[in-house]
Amino acid sequence: PNMNLVRDPRWGRAQEVYSEDPFLSSLYTAKFVSGAQQGNESKPERMQAAACCKHYAAYDTESIPVKRVNFSATVDSRNMWETYMPVFRSCVQSGQAAHVMCSYNAINGVPTCGDPKLLNGILRDQWKWPGFVVSDYDAWANIYRSHAYCPNMTCAAATGLNAGMDQEVGSDLAIAQLQAAIDSHMTTEEAVTTAFKRLFRIRLQLGMH
């Protein structure tokens, strides 16, 4: 589900989300995700669908005040944890969502799809979540293309993978450079293997074998 909060009434996707309230949105999200994923009576261990928590995080803009692929949200620690994070924590811990989609924007200058504190740090180390992270459409490549956080696409590929990315949506601009990133010692084959395992664990839970 789209779980972002309505922070600005000009946002053109407000009709997609639950509310402007973190607590209410958290409750709706957990129920939606657990209901969508739960197995049937004959095979309760299987998921019926792999739900995605999006867009992670601090994302609620399209083109105002700037384009979403260039926007960097300025968020202090208290606002981040009291406003933006509760709904995602509910999605991955209470709802046990299969995957999370990182957003187009940056937070305090760091693209969300290349932020190791946001992906591996919070999702996996702090919240103990086992799922996979997928980029919004070309958001992994945008670590280089629109945010200029990296000097080239090889760096963007490594930055995303090392931060906790597992799958690229859209083109293959980033993942096509993973071999070059490995050859340049910017990332490792083990990191690719870890991402592969996260993706295929969900495929097996969906019965795709």
Side-chain angles (χ1 to χ4, degrees), residues 34-41 43 46-50 205-206:
S34 60
Q37 292 190 160
Q38 66 183 353
N40 56 43
E41 292 183 0
K43 294 183 178 179
R46 282 191 180 173
M47 292 191 295
Q48 295 187 103
Q205 286 184 286
L206 288 167

Side-chain angles (χ1 to χ4, degrees), residues 48-95:
Q48 295 187 103
C52 177
C53 308
K54 67 177 193 176
H55 309 83
Y56 185 67
Y59 174 86
D60 58 359
T61 184
E62 300 301 311
S63 58
I64 300 172
V66 296
K67 290 183 179 179
R68 58 186 178 171
V69 296
N70 303 110
F71 182 63
S72 180
T74 301
V75 186
D76 61 36
S77 181
R78 179 174 181 177
N79 201 24
M80 189 71 177
W81 285 101
E82 291 186 356
T83 303
Y84 295 108
M85 300 305 281
V87 65
F88 284 97
R89 183 170 186 169
S90 177
C91 191
V92 302
Q93 289 192 326
S94 298

Side-chain angles (χ1 to χ4, degrees), residues 66-150:
V66 296
K67 290 183 179 179
R68 58 186 178 171
V69 296
N70 303 110
F71 182 63
S72 180
T74 301
V75 186
D76 61 36
S77 181
R78 179 174 181 177
N79 201 24
M80 189 71 177
W81 285 101
E82 291 186 356
T83 303
Y84 295 108
M85 300 305 281
V87 65
F88 284 97
R89 183 170 186 169
S90 177
C91 191
V92 302
Q93 289 192 326
S94 298
Q96 299 182 31
H99 60 300
V100 168
M101 177 181 285
C102 55
S103 51
Y104 282 124
N105 60 291
I107 298 176
N108 299 326
V110 183
T112 64
C113 294
D115 189 341
K117 294 181 180 178
L118 197 63
L119 304 184
N120 281 334
I122 295 174
L123 290 175
R124 296 185 172 115
D125 296 339
Q126 188 168 339
W127 291 347
K128 309 302 179 185
W129 175 69
F132 70 89
V133 177
V134 59
S135 72
D136 206 336
Y137 200 99
D138 281 345
W140 191 342
N142 285 347
I143 295 172
Y144 162 60
R145 291 200 311 175
S146 62
H147 290 292
Y149 188 72
C150 273

